[in-house]
Amino acid sequence: MVDFARVQKELQECSRDIERSGIKVIPKNEATLARLIGTIPGPVGTPYEGGTFQIDIALPDAYPFEPPKMQFTTKVWHPNISSQSGAICLDILKDQWSPALTLKTALLSVQALLSAPQPDDPQDAVVAQQYLKDYQTFVGTARYWTETFAKKSSLGIGEKVQKLVEMGFPEAQARSTLEAVGGDENLALEKLCSG
């Protein structure tokens, strides 16, 4: 059974330090602490700089004795992150996990992975090959994906609702979905399309 007291303490630790680290963890819904949403800022000096990346976190029943299951919900162009599913190839999320680690340290490690790709142990072979053989194209693609998927639009909520209405969604549904995902157009569109 998940140690919910520990999870609550970890969430409090993250919220106390959010100004300094930029790392945020919140429950996915009010019903349980076993499903969370983590948010990390793109590291400075990388193609991910300026982006805000969301990570889905599922805590297994044996947490903290088993690692959390994490995957990006924000699309990322990186050798160790699947460009299709958001799956993350990182040792501490697998066999190097320790109960001494926390959700925050795991997210800091994911953020560090954005700064230091490991193309020799890829999750996405296509991205890894591009990183190794055509680094400038890799950087350009990673930066483009960050601009497209990880940066908040400068549009106001009204303009975003209007764009979704023009795509055929009812205005009330578009507005409530946008509000539920914090104004993120891409997440709202994904949620609207998935029903």
Side-chain angles (χ1 to χ4, degrees):
M1 184 78 181
V2 175
D3 182 349
F4 290 115
R6 175 181 160 144
V7 173
Q8 192 65 47
K9 187 176 170 188
E10 289 187 38
L11 293 179
Q12 289 169 350
E13 176 195 345
C14 283
S15 63
R16 270 196 308 270
D17 193 39
I18 191 169
E19 291 302 316
R20 194 170 60 76
S21 70
I23 291 176
K24 184 167 123 182
V25 182
I26 58 170
K28 195 166 190 168
N29 61 52
E30 299 298 317
T32 179
L33 290 178
R35 293 300 301 262
L36 306 165
I37 298 170
T39 306
I40 60 173
V44 174
T46 71
Y48 312 104
E49 182 175 355
T52 301
F53 298 87
Q54 284 202 333
I55 298 168
D56 183 67
I57 304 168
L59 301 178
D61 286 341
Y63 182 82
F65 300 101
E66 286 182 15
K69 308 280 186 250
M70 293 187 175
Q71 76 179 52
F72 277 85
T73 54
T74 306
K75 292 177 86 51
V76 184
W77 190 256
H78 188 282
N80 306 106
I81 301 160
S82 170
S83 59
Q84 299 299 309
S85 70
I88 305 166
C89 181
L90 183 61
D91 58 357
I92 69 156
L93 295 179
K94 296 181 180 136
D95 59 337
Q96 296 300 309
W97 174 259
S98 160
L101 297 172
T102 64
L103 295 168
K104 182 179 173 187
T105 56
L107 289 168
L108 283 167
S109 295
V110 171
Q111 185 183 42
L113 183 67
L114 290 177
S115 295
Q118 303 294 317
D120 296 327
D121 184 22
Q123 176 70 38
D124 194 311
V126 172
V127 180
Q129 284 302 307
Q130 185 184 62
Y131 181 91
L132 292 168
K133 293 183 178 186
D134 190 357
Y135 184 74
Q136 289 310 316
T137 301
F138 161 78
V139 169
T141 305
R143 195 170 283 131
Y144 174 78
W145 278 42
T146 299
E147 292 289 330
T148 304
F149 302 113
K151 288 195 175 177
K152 297 279 187 238
S153 168
S154 59
L155 294 177
I157 195 83
E159 291 100 334
K160 292 176 186 178
V161 168
Q162 189 56 42
K163 279 176 69 177
L164 292 169
V165 167
E166 288 169 7
M167 291 181 205
F169 297 103
E171 183 175 349
Q173 185 183 14
R175 184 173 301 280
S176 65
T177 304
L178 269 167
E179 288 168 359
V181 297
D184 186 318
E185 291 172 85
N186 293 319
L187 280 177
L189 184 58
E190 210 171 286
K191 203 168 186 167
L192 287 164
C193 289
S194 66

